[in-house]
Amino acid sequence: DTAVSQTPKYLVTQMGNDKSIKCEQNLGHDTMYWYKQDSKKFLKIMFSYNNKELIINETVPNRFSPKSPDKAHLNLHINSLELGDSAVYFCASSQAQGYGNTIYFGEGSWLTVV
Amino acid sequence: GNSVTQMEGPVTLSEEAFLTINCTYTATGYPSLFWYVQYPGEGLQLLLKATKADDKGSNKGFEATYRKETTSFHLEKGSVQVSDSAVYFCALSVTGGFKTIFGAGTRLFVKA
């Protein structure tokens, strides 16, 4: 069983479109995240939820909107896609936030905006 | 603030060579330290971690020791294999903090 699963794995879309990435974790964790990884492998946190409550909201354009219907799911919706949004987006989860907690990552969603 | 600095890559080694990837940190609280590995086309996964000074984390032949006096957590492996080719990330989280801070990643290539 995949611990953190996200769909779709690959997404190619045109500028201006709206797209969503879904994520589910079956680890029973309280905390979920969205990370963005650029072509140089630099990893940046975008959002963090703890028990469906938004905890971390980094400087991310308003076009990105996370939604957590329950603590096992965290979806990411992106409006009006731009070329610069092309990246790999990772969903992740951990038992709790911060000190000592291991983060479990999904396999990534490779977004290409053309 | 809290930050992680790791050596720039890529690091290219021959099979069975000794590996060191340097990682130093700054932390406003008491940190726990991690190494994550990302194989091609996959997400990051925990390689090892240490939660207090002088602890040694180890896994799959990799080791790292939490050195408070030098604020370092260098990753080592005595004999690398081609299958170790990946990107390695040093990371920290601190008491009272919400975030895990990741370094920029170091890409390792191992040649047969």
Side-chain angles (χ1 to χ4, degrees):
Chain A
D1 264 355
T2 304
V4 181
S5 58
Q6 52 184 109
T7 56
K9 187 171 175 70
Y10 299 102
L11 190 52
V12 180
T13 188
Q14 291 189 325
M15 275 174 44
N17 284 350
D18 302 340
K19 291 293 176 188
S20 292
I21 306 172
K22 295 186 175 181
C23 178
E24 175 181 4
Q25 54 97 2
N26 64 4
L27 296 168
H29 288 166
D30 287 341
T31 305
M32 294 188 73
Y33 311 83
W34 278 108
Y35 285 86
K36 179 181 180 180
Q37 187 175 48
D38 64 23
S39 58
K40 296 185 178 179
K41 300 296 186 182
F42 186 76
L43 198 65
K44 177 185 172 184
I45 189 166
M46 302 172 69
F47 304 102
S48 171
Y49 274 72
N50 191 57
N51 274 321
K52 302 193 299 175
E53 181 184 349
L54 182 64
I55 299 296
I56 296 172
N57 185 352
E58 290 293 286
T59 310
V60 175
N62 289 340
R63 300 181 293 102
F64 290 80
S65 54
K67 278 193 171 52
S68 182
D70 56 60
K71 76 173 193 177
H73 295 85
L74 179 61
N75 304 321
L76 182 66
H77 187 76
I78 315 170
N79 289 326
S80 303
L81 278 155
E82 300 177 357
L83 292 177
D85 297 332
S86 296
V88 184
Y89 293 85
F90 287 101
C91 179
S93 72
S94 60
Q95 183 61 58
Q97 288 186 303
Y99 182 82
N101 282 283
T102 298
I103 299 178
Y104 294 80
F105 286 82
E107 292 196 342
S109 294
W110 301 66
L111 173 65
T112 302
V113 182
V114 296
Chain B
N2 301 313
S3 68
V4 173
T5 302
Q6 57 183 109
M7 63 189 283
E8 280 191 33
V11 173
T12 303
L13 296 173
S14 297
E15 212 166 17
E16 299 183 3
F18 184 86
L19 168 71
T20 300
I21 301 178
N22 290 338
C23 172
T24 57
Y25 66 89
T26 60
T28 54
Y30 194 88
S32 53
L33 300 168
F34 306 80
W35 278 101
Y36 287 83
V37 59
Q38 184 179 24
Y39 297 105
E42 298 183 11
L44 283 73
Q45 58 185 274
L46 179 71
L47 182 58
L48 52 85
K49 72 178 186 183
T51 55
K52 61 181 193 290
D54 300 324
D55 269 2
K56 178 186 284 188
S58 61
N59 186 23
K60 299 181 182 180
F62 291 89
E63 293 182 339
T65 301
Y66 183 156
R67 301 278 188 209
K68 188 178 177 185
E69 62 276 12
T70 54
T71 62
S72 65
F73 192 55
H74 303 322
L75 182 69
E76 296 182 337
K77 186 175 185 182
S79 175
V80 293
Q81 306 300 311
V82 172
S83 57
D84 294 326
S85 298
V87 181
Y88 292 82
F89 293 88
C90 186
L92 71 80
S93 56
V94 298
T95 50
F98 291 124
K99 284 191 223 181
T100 296
I101 308 297
F102 286 86
T106 302
R107 187 184 292 270
L108 170 67
F109 291 105
V110 180
K111 302 180 297 184

